[in-house]
């Protein structure tokens, strides 16, 4: 049994992606389909690669972000990606319940900052960052000189769409091996001196 990713063990019994699934960390999804829901509370259904029948049903605040960033035509959204995270401070009906928020999106060139309604009469700021591209991540991995550089590149790689993560993982593994080989080659020279 592979225990390298235990996220599936915290999936609540639900017909949709749930913020509790994101307790273990953010998740990047790539949109495969967008449709209208049947209720006023959840009028939008976003299917994504590997959703296992549990689509993302964004709240009104995140629907505003999606429409602002990607436009009002949902037919243009498939193929685009976003990183979702659990925001424990989300309030609903006066109680702090936590919720899903978007941190990064593909298809945007710079940070997007919006002030949107948080509760009646109160606004809250939301900043969405551009999603790193595979090219940017592999460039960061290739230029990494130390563990801190590699760690930063690894974090950026986790925000890649699932299809790109494997390529980044291979580049990362090769770079780690090259850094280790260079360190080993320098060690005997240092000991001889």
């Amino acid at each position: 049994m592979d225990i390298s990713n235990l996220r599936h063990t915290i999936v609540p019994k639900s017909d949709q992606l749930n913020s509790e699934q994101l307790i273990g960390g953010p998740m990047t999804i790539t949109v495969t389909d967008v449709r209208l829901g049947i209720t006023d509370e959840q009028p939008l259904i976003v299917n994504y690669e590997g959703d296992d029948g549990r689509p993302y049903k964004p709240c009104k605040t995140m629907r505003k972000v999606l429409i602002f960033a990607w436009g009002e035509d949902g037919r243009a959204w498939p193929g685009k990606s976003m990183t979702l995270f659990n925001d424990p401070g989300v309030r609903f009906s006066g109680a702090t319940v936590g919720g899903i928020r978007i941190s990064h999106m593909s298809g945007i060139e710079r940070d997007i900052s919006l002030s949107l309604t948080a509760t009646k009469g109160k606004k809250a700021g939301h900043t969405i960052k551009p999603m790193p591209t595979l090219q940017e991540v592999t460039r960061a991995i290739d230029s990494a000189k130390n563990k801190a550089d590699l760690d930063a590149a690894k974090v950026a790689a986790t925000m890649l769409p699932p299809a790109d993560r494997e390529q980044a993982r291979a580049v990362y593994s090769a770079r780690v091996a090259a850094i280790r080989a260079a360190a080993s080659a320098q060690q005997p020279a240092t000991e001889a001196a």
Side-chain angles (χ1 to χ4, degrees):
M1 282 282 191
D2 180 15
I3 58 169
S4 63
N5 183 348
L6 299 174
R7 188 183 294 252
H8 68 278
T9 67
I10 61 171
V11 174
K13 292 182 180 178
S14 175
D15 66 344
Q16 66 189 30
L17 180 66
N18 188 293
S19 65
E20 292 176 7
Q21 285 176 255
L22 304 174
I23 289 173
M27 179 170 85
T28 298
I29 64 171
T30 300
V31 177
T32 58
D33 187 38
V34 177
R35 347 181 229 115
L36 293 176
I38 57 172
T39 67
D40 289 341
E41 292 82 31
Q42 295 179 319
L44 186 63
I45 298 170
V46 178
N47 289 100
Y48 56 92
E49 291 176 7
D51 71 10
D52 295 324
R54 297 169 50 84
Y56 172 43
K57 297 179 181 179
C59 67
K60 184 180 267 186
T61 301
M62 292 300 100
R63 290 194 306 268
K64 290 175 184 176
V65 168
L66 287 162
I67 290 169
F68 183 84
W70 288 345
E72 62 188 42
D73 186 351
R75 296 172 297 180
W77 295 7
K80 295 183 179 179
S81 300
M82 64 183 119
T83 300
L84 307 175
F85 70 98
N86 177 347
D87 179 351
V90 171
R91 297 179 59 83
F92 183 74
S93 295
T96 303
V97 296
I100 298 174
R101 294 292 189 239
I102 301 168
S103 64
H104 293 77
M105 295 176 77
S106 66
I108 62 174
E109 295 179 12
R110 56 186 161 355
D111 288 4
I112 294 175
S113 293
L114 301 170
S115 180
L116 300 171
T117 303
T119 59
K120 286 185 180 181
K122 293 186 181 181
K123 299 233 179 209
H126 296 277
T127 299
I128 311 300
K129 297 192 169 295
M131 184 168 289
T133 65
L134 177 60
Q135 190 175 43
E136 291 168 338
V137 171
T138 55
R139 200 174 320 132
I141 293 169
D142 286 338
S143 65
K145 304 279 188 251
N146 54 43
K147 185 175 180 343
D149 292 346
L150 280 171
D151 287 346
K154 189 175 186 178
V155 168
T158 65
M159 291 180 231
L160 289 172
D164 293 341
R165 261 185 245 139
E166 283 306 312
Q167 289 180 5
R169 188 173 286 127
V171 173
Y172 181 86
S173 295
R175 185 64 183 146
V176 168
I179 289 172
R180 285 183 179 153
S184 292
Q186 286 180 347
Q187 219 171 19
T190 307
E191 291 172 5

